[in-house]
Amino acid sequence: VAPPVPAVPAAAPEGYLQRRAAHPTRLLVKGLAQSNPPGTDPPEPAQRVTYRSGDLELAGWLAMPAPSVHRPIPVLVYFHGGLGLTPHEFARCKPYLKAGFAVFTPTLRGRNGNPGNFELVFGEVDDARAAIKWIAEQPGIDKSRIYAFGHSMGGGAVAMLTLYPDLPVRLTASAGGIYSPATFSYWAEDEDSKDLIRFDIKDKEEVELRVLLPHAAEMLHDHIAYMGTEETTTHNNALALQEHAKGAKVEVVELRGDHFSALDPALAKFLSRVRTDTTRP
């Protein structure tokens, strides 16, 4: 009788998309982003809309520019920072409306009364992908001029979108949203942010699948990383991302201010960039 052939261990998946598909998140704590989420009534002139992300029906606010604007209409998809979308966050985007852009501000799972668990840049990336695909199918939208911008955790989600080949996004940008594995280790030890870490911080896959930096060479969409001069840690992350990106261009733009005060100048800079952008041949 021939000796048994030893089993060959399965090869570990390579690449972000393969690793992501092979590793559903394992949350140690399940629940909403916060116990009292902000209200979901949209401010004028936005209307409440819904989009689907997997089995979840999620809400968002959509505002269209003046009817005189020629169609098709370019669109800004803005992903808020913090734990909920507020009218103040939407108001930051009004200059885009005046410039002839539609503005879509999605809310994500576990926020603003939405179903699902807060996962910290994991399932939220699926929501961000779904939101962009949804707006691309809406009447009058220019599918070739969809721009995604995110602040803080929203910026972290937008950064991850650069790894997906099937996404109809022309240019992505973030303000204070380029994280590294060390970012989450710091948060886990900080009294003010430790509640955000609801997975095993010692699990390498759980950590690395939430940040772009380890996958910089796989980027497929161009990204602008706006950084406040007082944001030294994430600034270094952005410079490292710029150095290691292969398939996409990463531009680091430094602006005076900190994590919050640099946001409005970043949105203004991004508007100057995209309003003169033209579709590719």
Side-chain angles (χ1 to χ4, degrees):
V1 178
V5 178
V8 178
E14 296 181 2
Y16 169 77
L17 295 182
Q18 292 76 23
R19 290 172 66 186
R20 178 76 150 74
H23 187 95
T25 188
R26 293 187 286 269
L27 298 176
L28 302 179
V29 177
K30 296 183 178 181
L32 303 178
Q34 53 187 328
S35 58
N36 296 307
T40 56
D41 292 335
E44 293 292 339
Q47 301 293 321
R48 186 180 186 274
V49 297
T50 59
Y51 69 100
R52 294 203 67 83
S53 177
D55 295 333
L56 302 177
E57 184 175 274
L58 307 175
W61 298 341
L62 175 63
M64 301 298 286
S68 60
V69 172
H70 296 297
R71 296 193 175 210
I73 300 169
V75 58
L76 170 74
V77 186
Y78 175 75
F79 295 90
H80 64 82
L83 299 179
L85 175 64
T86 66
H88 179 67
E89 287 295 298
F90 176 83
R92 297 182 188 275
C93 304
K94 285 188 174 180
Y96 287 79
L97 279 174
K98 293 180 181 178
F101 286 72
V103 171
F104 180 37
T105 53
T107 61
L108 307 176
R109 62 185 63 198
R111 296 170 168 90
N112 290 88
N114 283 330
N117 298 308
F118 173 76
E119 298 183 9
L120 183 58
V121 200
F122 199 92
E124 293 88 347
V125 177
D126 296 332
D127 302 341
R129 290 171 59 212
I132 288 177
K133 290 182 177 180
W134 179 86
I135 193 63
E137 297 304 318
Q138 300 312 299
I141 293 298
D142 187 345
K143 296 181 182 180
S144 67
R145 293 189 65 198
I146 297 175
Y147 305 95
F149 184 106
H151 175 231
S152 197
M153 282 186 284
V158 169
M160 301 306 289
L161 297 181
T162 64
L163 298 169
Y164 288 87
D166 61 339
L167 206 61
V169 63
R170 177 147 168 79
L171 182 64
T172 64
S174 61
I178 304 301
Y179 301 142
S180 70
T183 304
F184 293 154
S185 296
Y186 171 79
W187 288 5
E189 297 174 359
D190 184 76
E191 191 66 29
D192 293 333
S193 57
K194 65 181 183 180
D195 182 59
L196 300 174
I197 308 297
R198 303 183 183 183
F199 53 89
D200 184 358
I201 196 67
K202 298 179 181 178
D203 186 326
K204 181 180 178 181
E205 289 292 272
E206 286 284 354
V207 175
E208 289 193 353
L209 291 176
R210 286 172 162 83
V211 292
L212 178 58
L213 196 51
H215 316 286
E218 301 176 59
M219 291 177 65
L220 299 168
H221 302 282
D222 293 347
H223 189 81
I224 304 175
Y226 294 99
M227 289 291 153
T229 53
E230 298 174 38
E231 247 187 313
T232 54
T233 302
T234 49
H235 191 183
N236 291 337
N237 293 342
L239 292 174
L241 184 70
Q242 186 180 52
E243 179 181 355
H244 296 291
K246 305 290 185 188
K249 178 183 176 183
V250 175
E251 182 179 350
V252 179
V253 178
E254 191 173 70
L255 299 168
R256 181 176 298 178
D258 58 22
H259 187 69
F260 299 100
S261 61
L263 173 55
D264 286 335
L267 279 165
K269 285 278 189 182
F270 192 57
L271 176 56
S272 295
R273 173 70 65 90
V274 301
R275 72 187 305 174
T276 59
D277 190 29
T278 56
T279 56
R280 296 186 179 107

